[in-house]
């Protein structure tokens, strides 16, 4: 019961910290990390060990699927060079540098040192996104960070699994390479096929609650099946999610979709809180096992790894941006306009906060793994240090860089709104009733506002007036129920109609929790 009670308290604290983070305009994961560390000092906190395979499936699978579902294939293709240099190059570079430090400074075996590098290599863009969305930074930067946070997990976890296996027993490189290639190809095929099969199942379920349960069961089932078949569970889940994301929205009702988004948002939030609870409990037990001189050396090593991780990313990003800009001198003017800037390089380099993947993979190290305690402590230090140091200073950095507000998404919304309003008017063109005329008038007004993509203020004012009118509707509906004119069934049906109208008028997107 102690763990359950502690978790309940931490969930409530996490909710309060989320509200506080909005007021302070800092990423909520930064505050959550501090709360997780605070658990290490709670008297009587329980000691808990979790099965490594369970940790990976429980925490990584749903969070990764949630991130992959929102990933844009168009942006992945458009920024493929930068993504490859970050998701592959930066991960490998960071892994090598950290492994060298672990081998030289802590005396870790080569395989264990590389495992540490792979654990701390993949950044998580969610904490950065919470702040970047407030400043309208160039769309290129946010798209690259989101794409990187999804793809770098596969690279890091592939290195991690190979080195963990090598640390626990001999492994032949000649047999490992073909296995990795087959596993990668098999994972791509399995993710696509399982995604198509899942779509067939989901289209037959109308109940929102049942559909959500099937989605969660399917996510864990795909992870477990891929793992049992010797495939890459990470790659399989990513392909599975992206396959569903391209087709499912058109096949699901609006009610099911909104319900699903809400449940997934809450579930991912809870998983993040639990991960930081485990971080605090694990840190407590590790510090307890380290004593005297060994404790000081472990903390010094952890601080060194933190510094190396931050510097390595900054050096890598600055180097590849300098090379790209030098090569761009030989390209046309159009390509030069879209090339990365040094201001963008500073921002991307500083948005290297580590999150859930680093936490969970560190916790998932087997109990008998060589150098487990200093490795896990260093991983926790990297998560805490990057979230607090980089997360808390991201807003001042953005003000210093002073990017021009980016309206790319606003313009795309305006262009798409014109097209979909015209489609609605075309469908209604043959209808002659008074109701059809009223609906056509509404769509015509919305199209008129959207036709000028530069007139963002008009669109904003239009939505603001709709929300103002909706508040009046809610007041009237409340009064009807209060004076007994309508019952609760009619009230809730009308409440749902008003909710849909409010969602349509609200520009805010889905909430993005700490992932990958």
């Amino acid at each position: 019961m102690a763990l359950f009670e502690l978790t309940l308290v931490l969930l409530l604290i996490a909710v309060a910290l989320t509200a506080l983070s909005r007021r302070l305009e800092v990423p909520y994961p930064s505050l959550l990390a501090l709360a997780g560390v605070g658990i290490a000092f709670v008297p009587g906190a329980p000691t808990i060990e979790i099965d490594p395979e369970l940790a990976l499936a429980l925490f990584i699978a749903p969070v990764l699927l949630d991130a992959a579902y929102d990933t844009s294939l168009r942006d992945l293709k458009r920024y493929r060079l930068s993504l490859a240099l970050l998701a592959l190059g930066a991960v490998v570079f960071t892994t090598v540098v950290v492994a060298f430090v672990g081998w030289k400074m802590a005396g870790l075996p080569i395989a264990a040192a590389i495992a540490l590098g792979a654990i701390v290599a993949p950044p998580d863009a969610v904490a950065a996104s919470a702040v970047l969305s407030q400043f309208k930074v160039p769309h290129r930067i946010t798209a690259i960070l989101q794409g990187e946070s999804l793809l770098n997990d596969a690279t890091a976890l592939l290195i991690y699994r190979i080195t963990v296996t090598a640390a626990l027993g001999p492994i032949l490189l000649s047999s490992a390479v073909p296995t990795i290639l087959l596993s990668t190809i098999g994972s791509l095929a399995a993710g696509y096929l399982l995604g198509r099969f899942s779509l067939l199942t989901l289209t037959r379920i109308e109940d929102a609650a049942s559909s959500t349960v099937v989605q969660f069961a399917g996510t864990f089932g795909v992870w477990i099946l891929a793992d049992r078949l010797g495939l890459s569970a990470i790659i399989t889940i990513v392909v599975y999610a992206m396959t569903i994301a391209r087709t499912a929205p058109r096949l699901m009702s609006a009610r099911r979709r909104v319900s699903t988004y809400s449940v997934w948002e809450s579930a991912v939030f809870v998983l993040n809180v639990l991960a930081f609870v485990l971080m605090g409990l694990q840190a407590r037990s590790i510090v307890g096992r380290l004593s005297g001189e060994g404790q000081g050396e472990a903390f010094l090593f952890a601080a060194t790894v933190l510094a190396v991780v931050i510097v390595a990313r900054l050096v890598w990003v600055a180097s590849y941006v300098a090379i790209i800009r030098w090569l761009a001198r030989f390209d046309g003017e159009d390509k030069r306009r879209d090339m990365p800037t040094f201001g963008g390089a500073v921002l991307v380099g500083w948005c290297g906060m580590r999150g859930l993947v680093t936490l969970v993979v560190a916790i998932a190290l087997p109990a008998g793994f060589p150098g487990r305690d200093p490795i896990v402590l260093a991983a926790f230090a990297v998560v805490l240090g990057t979230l607090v140091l980089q997360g808390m200073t991201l807003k001042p950095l953005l003000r210093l860089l002073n990017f021009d507000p980016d309206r790319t998404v606003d313009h795309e919304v305006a262009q798409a709104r014109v097209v979909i309003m015209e489609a609605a008017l075309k469908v209604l063109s043959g209808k002659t009733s008074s109701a059809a005329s009223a609906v056509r008038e509404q769509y015509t007004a919305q199209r008129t506002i959207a036709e000028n993509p530069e007139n963002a203020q008009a669109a904003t004012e239009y939505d603001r007036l709709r929300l103002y009118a909706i508040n009046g509707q809610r007041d009237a509906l409340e009064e009807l129920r209060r004076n007994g004119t309508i019952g609760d069934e009619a009230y809730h049906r009308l409440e749902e109609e008003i909710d849909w109208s409010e969602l349509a008028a609200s520009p805010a997107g889905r909430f993005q929790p700490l992932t990958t």
Side-chain angles (χ1 to χ4, degrees):
M1 283 294 291
L3 178 62
F4 179 69
E5 294 165 358
L6 181 62
T7 303
L8 287 179
V9 172
L10 259 293
L11 286 173
L12 294 177
I13 292 175
V15 172
L17 290 177
T18 302
L20 179 62
S21 70
R22 294 194 189 100
R23 183 176 295 273
L24 298 177
E25 295 183 321
V26 299
Y28 92 91
S30 301
L31 300 182
L32 196 58
L34 290 173
V37 171
I39 297 174
F41 301 97
V42 175
T47 301
I48 182 172
E49 298 292 338
I50 186 169
D51 178 75
E53 295 302 322
L54 173 61
L56 290 173
L58 176 62
F59 292 101
I60 301 298
V63 172
L64 194 62
L65 182 132
D66 187 66
Y69 194 89
D70 294 331
T71 299
S72 168
L73 281 176
R74 184 199 66 175
D75 290 338
L76 291 181
K77 294 176 183 177
R78 178 177 295 176
Y79 306 119
R80 56 186 177 274
L81 176 58
S82 294
L83 287 171
L85 290 170
L86 287 172
L88 294 175
V91 168
V92 172
F93 179 70
T94 303
T95 300
V96 171
V97 175
V98 172
F100 180 79
V101 172
W103 175 56
K104 281 290 187 181
M105 185 174 180
L108 296 174
I110 294 295
I114 296 175
L116 169 61
I119 290 171
V120 300
D124 182 354
V126 174
S129 298
V131 178
L132 296 181
S133 60
Q134 303 171 13
F135 285 84
K136 294 284 186 181
V137 300
H139 176 70
R140 172 193 176 93
I141 293 177
T142 56
I144 288 174
L145 288 172
Q146 290 170 357
E148 179 203 5
S149 68
L150 176 67
L151 300 176
N152 60 17
D153 293 339
T155 305
L157 288 178
L158 179 61
I159 298 172
Y160 167 82
R161 284 194 175 276
I162 294 173
T163 52
V164 168
T165 303
L168 297 176
I171 181 173
L172 296 177
L173 186 63
S174 58
S175 61
V177 173
T179 301
I180 292 171
L181 292 176
L182 289 175
S183 172
T184 302
I185 296 172
S187 300
L188 294 172
Y192 176 78
L193 293 175
L194 290 170
R196 301 301 300 181
F197 176 77
S198 179
L199 287 170
L200 294 176
T201 305
L202 290 174
T203 55
R204 300 176 185 275
I205 302 175
E206 293 299 328
D207 178 63
S210 300
S211 175
T212 304
V213 170
V214 170
Q215 289 177 47
F216 274 98
T219 301
F220 291 118
V222 168
W223 180 283
I224 294 170
L225 179 62
D227 193 56
R228 293 287 173 83
L229 294 176
L231 303 176
S232 169
I234 293 288
I235 296 176
T236 305
I237 281 287
V238 169
V239 177
Y240 170 79
M242 297 182 77
T243 301
I244 294 176
R246 303 298 293 182
T247 310
R250 191 66 183 89
L251 302 177
M252 294 175 65
S253 65
R255 183 194 302 270
R256 286 170 57 198
R257 184 162 51 253
V258 172
S259 173
T260 297
Y261 286 173
S262 299
V263 173
W264 273 91
E265 175 183 321
S266 300
V268 171
F269 179 77
V270 170
L271 288 175
N272 278 280
V273 174
L274 292 177
F276 282 103
V277 170
L278 287 174
M279 181 189 81
L281 296 177
Q282 290 272 317
R284 178 191 182 97
S285 61
I286 289 172
V287 172
R289 286 194 294 268
L290 297 170
S291 59
E293 193 174 321
Q295 190 177 82
E297 292 178 354
F299 280 115
L300 177 61
F301 174 62
T304 304
V305 172
L306 169 61
V308 167
V309 165
I310 293 175
V311 173
R313 179 174 176 84
L314 289 171
V315 169
W316 178 267
V317 174
S319 299
Y320 92 72
V321 167
I323 293 173
I324 290 178
R325 289 181 63 85
W326 182 78
L327 293 175
R329 296 188 307 170
F330 307 102
D331 294 327
E333 186 177 346
D334 292 339
K335 289 187 176 181
R336 285 201 298 270
R337 275 201 301 265
D338 198 39
M339 67 181 177
T341 63
F342 282 114
V346 171
L347 180 58
V348 171
W350 198 245
C351 289
M353 287 80 82
R354 270 56 176 179
L356 187 62
V357 171
T358 296
L359 273 183
V360 174
V361 175
I363 294 171
L365 277 174
F369 192 79
R372 185 184 189 276
D373 283 354
I375 289 175
V376 174
L377 188 63
F380 291 169
V382 168
V383 173
L384 177 64
T386 55
L387 283 176
V388 173
L389 177 61
Q390 294 178 306
M392 296 289 195
T393 57
L394 192 55
K395 181 181 175 181
L397 176 63
L398 284 166
R399 284 185 171 151
L400 181 64
L401 293 174
N402 193 27
F403 290 109
D404 293 331
D406 187 278
R407 301 292 180 185
T408 301
V409 177
D410 293 338
H411 291 167
E412 290 180 357
V413 168
Q415 293 170 3
R417 188 172 278 164
V418 171
V419 174
I420 62 178
M421 294 307 163
E422 289 177 347
L425 290 170
K426 183 178 179 180
V427 170
L428 294 170
S429 60
K431 306 295 182 181
T432 57
S433 66
S434 58
S437 299
V439 175
R440 275 199 300 270
E441 184 177 345
Q442 178 183 3
Y443 282 125
T444 301
Q446 294 185 45
R447 184 188 63 180
T448 301
I449 292 172
E451 279 177 338
N452 183 3
E454 300 299 328
N455 195 7
Q457 184 61 39
T460 302
E461 180 65 17
Y462 174 80
D463 287 333
R464 187 182 296 116
L465 288 172
R466 290 175 67 190
L467 291 173
Y468 181 73
I470 286 169
N471 284 332
Q473 289 180 309
R474 290 194 185 280
D475 292 340
L477 183 61
E478 288 293 336
E479 180 61 27
L480 289 173
R481 184 171 69 164
R482 188 181 300 113
N483 62 28
T485 303
I486 61 174
D488 278 12
E489 185 175 353
Y491 171 85
H492 288 303
R493 184 177 298 180
L494 291 168
E495 180 186 45
E496 185 179 15
E497 290 180 9
I498 296 174
D499 286 344
W500 288 118
S501 298
E502 184 174 337
L503 286 172
S506 301
R510 289 180 60 198
F511 173 79
Q512 295 292 335
L514 179 65
T515 68
T516 67

